[in-house]
Amino acid sequence: MAEIRWGHGLSVHGVDCSVHGVDGIVSSPKTPDSVTKTAKKEKKAAKSPKYEDGVTPNSELYKMILLALQGKAPLQHDGNGKVHIGNGVWISEKTWDDKIRKANVSPSIAVRDVMSKIYTPTEMAERSLEGATPVKPYSSGQKIKKKKMTPQKTEAVLGVYRAKTVAASGSEDPFFLDLAVSKKGKDTFKYKLKEAASALKPKD
């Protein structure tokens, strides 16, 4: 009969064929740090942010816009000189062809051009990304709460930024793109809105 001893390892007929553990419990080999980090990244990427019904996130919209930038698939056309960039947002075909689509137009400039076509200067001056009351009131002391940009328009414009970033960098790494959108993309948004507000702010 085979001799089996439990302790620091498993022995059959005196031959050590164990994986050292603690008193009969075979321990699992340690997972390399690189594997653990990769698993964490994949898990994070798998988590989809929550969006309101009817809103497609920029992380999905950019694919359609990128194909159009590359000339592989045109954007939807309304037959009246406008093209669809997602979430029910339309811009003029001329703006798309003359500005957005050009390779030498940076992602930030593309965002500014799109915003100027979907909002009037007054509408931009009255809005912010999250909706807030200006810290500095007008000379009268009045503070006017700004309207929050709709998620449909926010994600559509950021979809353009994301697609232009891919076209310029050649990278579709989701972590790189998420960082670019959350930092510079949204900063461009805020700057454009602030610029519009400053231009229309009553003089003291």
Side-chain angles (χ1 to χ4, degrees):
M1 182 179 292
E3 177 190 359
I4 301 177
R5 295 199 307 270
W6 291 93
H8 289 293
L10 175 64
S11 176
V12 180
H13 287 303
V15 178
D16 185 8
C17 53
S18 66
V19 177
H20 292 288
V22 179
D23 293 334
I25 300 176
V26 180
S27 61
S28 300
K30 288 186 177 180
T31 303
D33 289 341
S34 59
V35 175
T36 302
K37 290 179 180 178
T38 300
K40 286 181 179 179
K41 283 186 176 182
E42 290 176 349
K43 184 177 181 181
K44 183 178 179 181
K47 291 182 178 179
S48 299
K50 294 182 179 179
Y51 291 92
E52 296 180 21
D53 291 341
V55 179
T56 303
N58 70 81
S59 56
E60 292 297 325
L61 283 180
Y62 92 93
K63 299 172 185 177
M64 170 189 77
I65 298 168
L66 181 62
L67 288 174
L69 289 173
Q70 296 170 335
K72 295 180 179 179
L75 293 175
Q76 181 184 351
H77 199 290
D78 73 345
N80 292 307
K82 290 188 176 182
V83 291
H84 184 232
I85 59 172
N87 287 334
V89 180
W90 299 78
I91 61 173
S92 71
E93 187 174 20
K94 181 175 176 57
T95 296
W96 170 259
D97 288 334
D98 294 350
K99 296 183 178 181
I100 313 302
R101 194 175 176 183
K102 288 186 176 180
N104 62 346
V105 174
S106 70
S108 295
I109 294 299
V111 164
R112 292 169 64 86
D113 286 337
V114 172
M115 288 181 69
S116 66
K117 298 304 177 183
I118 63 176
Y119 286 119
T120 66
T122 300
E123 288 173 335
M124 277 194 285
E126 296 172 344
R127 283 165 172 75
S128 69
L129 268 178
E130 300 299 331
T133 301
V135 175
K136 294 181 180 179
Y138 292 124
S139 57
S140 62
Q142 181 184 16
K143 291 184 179 181
I144 302 174
K145 184 174 176 61
K146 293 191 174 185
K147 299 175 183 177
K148 180 180 179 180
M149 287 186 63
T150 65
Q152 288 86 352
K153 288 183 177 179
T154 298
E155 292 303 312
V157 177
L158 289 178
V160 171
Y161 183 89
R162 195 180 190 104
K164 289 290 291 184
T165 299
V166 172
S169 67
S171 172
E172 287 195 65
D173 179 82
F175 309 106
F176 161 69
L177 293 175
D178 284 345
L179 183 62
V181 168
S182 64
K183 295 293 184 182
K184 196 165 184 181
K186 289 187 176 180
D187 282 348
T188 302
F189 249 119
K190 293 174 183 177
Y191 180 82
K192 183 65 176 176
L193 295 172
K194 184 177 180 180
E195 183 181 62
S198 296
L200 294 180
K201 190 173 181 179
K203 302 295 183 181
D204 290 340

